[in-house]
Amino acid sequence: MTWRDPTGRTLADYPHPSVAVDVALLTVADDRLCVLLHEGRALPGTFLRIEETLRDAALRVLREKAGVSGEEPRQLAVFDDPARDDRGRVLSVAHVDLVPADRLTGALTPVDALPPLAFDHAAIVDAAVAWARAAHRDRPDPRGLLDEEFTLLELQRLHEAVHGGPLPKDAFRRRMQEHLIDTGTLSRGTVGKPARVFRRAPQETP
Amino acid sequence: MTWRDPTGRTLADYPHPSVAVDVALLTVADDRLCVLLHEGRALPGTFLRIEETLRDAALRVLREKAGVSGEEPRQLAVFDDPARDDRGRVLSVAHVDLVPADRLTGALTPVDALPPLAFDHAAIVDAAVAWARAAHRDRPDPRGLLDEEFTLLELQRLHEAVHGGPLPKDAFRRRMQEHLIDTGTLSRGTVGKPARVFRRAPQETP
DNA sequence: CCAATAGTGTCTGTAAGACAGTATTTC
DNA sequence: GAAATACTGTCTTACAGACACTATTGG
């Protein structure tokens, strides 16, 4: 039974905006925080299907346009400038995700060297970067960008890439150690004193 | 000229979800953080009109259902459970606002004593409360709930209402004083030593 | 004087930044 | 042994929480 309002019309009788889902897919490549761009100037996106959740639409974008699956897209905000898309009234629900570089395919651009982007996608990338930085503020590796086991230097390089600048070494180590488990093994084959190898302590999803 | 996709269809030829805007309008009354409820069990809301921004829709809700105007609704998140509304596929873009109690009309309920709410409105209230607490963490009175001039005790009572519990007095005063301007005048007519009266230092919109 | 509130001074613990020093590997 | 990296100890500063004390009003 379809719902009808007091004048007998259903929801479908009112004009609705289209709802798009755009995803800022971040990764760290060559020690730099990068975003995946489609045709060099836009974030991958799609229109939300009527029976689909936003999360499912974002996963579909990731699967079809970046070749990754099983991720955890996170909602950022709705962008709703009436003039943002000249095809009509389109709301964009912006999402962010962060995955290891070796699991995705596509063109990566460092977030500190973006070309002019289509629509309002530059603002979406800004919000995505802010989210990634906040997620790393108090956690070692919230999205598992490193391998299961890693040294503190590798972890610091990840944080410096996300943060976009150098971090004080000793304070960083002290802050992180409480969230890490020492595996007891040592790194091998590098120049210098071998580093201790750590694992992530059990973490909640950010 | 209407945009058409490769098969000649316009955006309107695809089924679209409806987009609703729900607003958790918070205030502080009797030293408690409260939310305005419609019919005792739902947040005020409306459907987004095709030509309207989310912000304008939220302002319209506030004007028509709470009697306040000129506010600053803030987007929280999109709630999109396909089963959240049995009238059809309805996305809700949740908003929050925070205004002085004497400027609104409607039924207020303390947020720590909510009845069961319709749809997923309890989750929206949770997000709204979290936003209000974060907004007050490092700012004296981000939404101007107090008068132009106030004492530190009045400010602390506001923070304790938002925070939902007592705050240490001396640390609170020390943290806040740097964001306040001493007017030089003293409170009058109260029991006890007269308190200094402060104004907010110029602040950025949260 | 008493009750009540305002405001200050001090101690302690924690954490960050800075800096220096020691340890252990490769070459 | 030299270079490079890993780690540790200590000093300073800042700030929060706790506590106690003084100050100033109305009754």
Side-chain angles (χ1 to χ4, degrees):
Chain A
M1 182 59 190
T2 304
W3 174 88
R4 293 180 183 277
D5 74 5
T7 62
R9 285 179 290 192
T10 71
L11 284 182
D13 290 327
Y14 293 93
H16 295 164
S18 299
V19 177
V21 170
D22 291 314
V23 183
L25 179 57
L26 303 178
T27 192
V28 173
D30 292 331
D31 289 335
R32 297 180 80 179
L33 185 62
C34 297
V35 63
L36 182 139
L37 293 183
H38 192 238
E39 297 177 353
R41 53 183 285 285
L43 298 177
T46 190
F47 284 103
L48 177 69
R49 295 178 183 163
I50 189 85
E51 77 289 353
E52 180 181 56
T53 64
L54 292 166
R55 173 186 162 82
D56 289 340
L59 289 171
R60 184 160 55 81
V61 170
L62 291 174
R63 201 172 346 104
E64 295 176 356
K65 305 205 176 169
V68 294
S69 56
E71 304 309 326
E72 296 185 40
R74 192 180 185 81
Q75 214 185 86
L76 287 173
V78 186
F79 289 79
D80 71 333
D81 181 347
R84 63 178 297 280
D85 190 325
D86 55 18
R87 291 172 298 183
R89 181 78 173 112
V90 179
L91 302 184
S92 168
V93 184
H95 287 70
V96 60
D97 208 340
L98 181 58
V99 306
D102 55 15
R103 293 185 44 197
L104 61 85
T105 60
L108 298 177
T109 305
V111 297
D112 51 9
L114 287 178
L117 297 186
F119 308 109
D120 40 21
H121 287 181
I124 296 178
V125 174
D126 284 348
V129 170
W131 171 85
R133 288 181 180 158
H136 282 79
R137 191 107 50 210
D138 290 308
R139 261 176 286 253
D141 183 16
R143 289 307 180 96
L145 296 200
L146 301 175
D147 297 335
E148 275 301 301
E149 305 196 331
F150 48 85
T151 67
L152 275 171
L153 179 61
E154 291 167 328
L155 183 61
Q156 184 166 355
R157 275 210 246 271
L158 165 64
H159 276 247
E160 289 179 338
V162 171
H163 178 261
L167 292 169
K169 173 176 154 183
D170 35 16
F172 177 79
R173 299 169 82 93
R174 273 184 298 229
R175 231 178 329 117
M176 286 300 155
Q177 289 221 31
E178 62 180 309
H179 303 294
L180 299 176
I181 295 168
D182 190 337
T183 63
T185 59
L186 294 176
S187 66
R188 299 281 305 265
T190 63
V191 144
K193 177 175 173 176
R196 299 205 307 242
V197 174
F198 295 88
R199 274 186 297 118
R200 284 175 282 278
Q203 55 182 324
E204 61 282 17
T205 306
Chain B
M1 182 57 190
T2 303
W3 175 88
R4 292 180 183 277
D5 74 5
T7 61
R9 285 179 289 191
T10 71
L11 284 184
D13 291 327
Y14 293 94
H16 295 166
S18 299
V19 177
V21 170
D22 291 315
V23 184
L25 179 57
L26 303 178
T27 192
V28 173
D30 292 331
D31 290 334
R32 298 180 80 178
L33 185 62
C34 298
V35 62
L36 182 140
L37 293 184
H38 192 239
E39 297 178 353
R41 53 183 287 282
L43 298 177
T46 189
F47 283 104
L48 177 69
R49 295 177 181 165
I50 189 88
E51 77 289 354
E52 177 182 58
T53 64
L54 293 165
R55 172 186 162 83
D56 289 339
L59 289 171
R60 183 161 55 81
V61 169
L62 291 174
R63 200 174 344 105
E64 295 176 357
K65 305 205 175 168
V68 294
S69 56
E71 304 309 327
E72 297 185 38
R74 193 179 184 82
Q75 214 186 85
L76 287 174
V78 186
F79 289 79
D80 71 332
D81 181 346
R84 64 179 296 282
D85 190 325
D86 55 19
R87 292 171 298 182
R89 181 76 173 116
V90 179
L91 302 184
S92 169
V93 184
H95 286 70
V96 60
D97 209 340
L98 181 58
V99 306
D102 55 15
R103 293 184 46 196
L104 62 84
T105 59
L108 298 177
T109 304
V111 297
D112 51 9
L114 288 178
L117 297 186
F119 307 111
D120 40 21
H121 287 182
I124 296 179
V125 173
D126 285 347
V129 170
W131 170 86
R133 288 180 179 160
H136 283 78
R137 191 108 48 211
D138 290 309
R139 262 177 286 256
D141 183 16
R143 289 307 180 95
L145 295 200
L146 300 176
D147 297 334
E148 276 301 299
E149 305 195 332
F150 49 83
T151 66
L152 276 171
L153 179 60
E154 291 167 329
L155 183 61
Q156 184 167 354
R157 276 212 245 269
L158 166 64
H159 276 248
E160 290 179 338
V162 172
H163 178 262
L167 293 169
K169 172 178 153 181
D170 36 15
F172 177 80
R173 300 170 81 95
R174 274 185 298 233
R175 234 180 324 120
M176 286 301 154
Q177 290 222 29
E178 63 181 308
H179 303 295
L180 298 176
I181 296 169
D182 191 337
T183 63
T185 59
L186 295 177
S187 66
R188 298 280 304 265
T190 63
V191 144
K193 178 175 173 177
R196 298 205 309 243
V197 174
F198 295 87
R199 275 184 298 118
R200 286 175 280 278
Q203 56 180 324
E204 60 282 15
T205 305

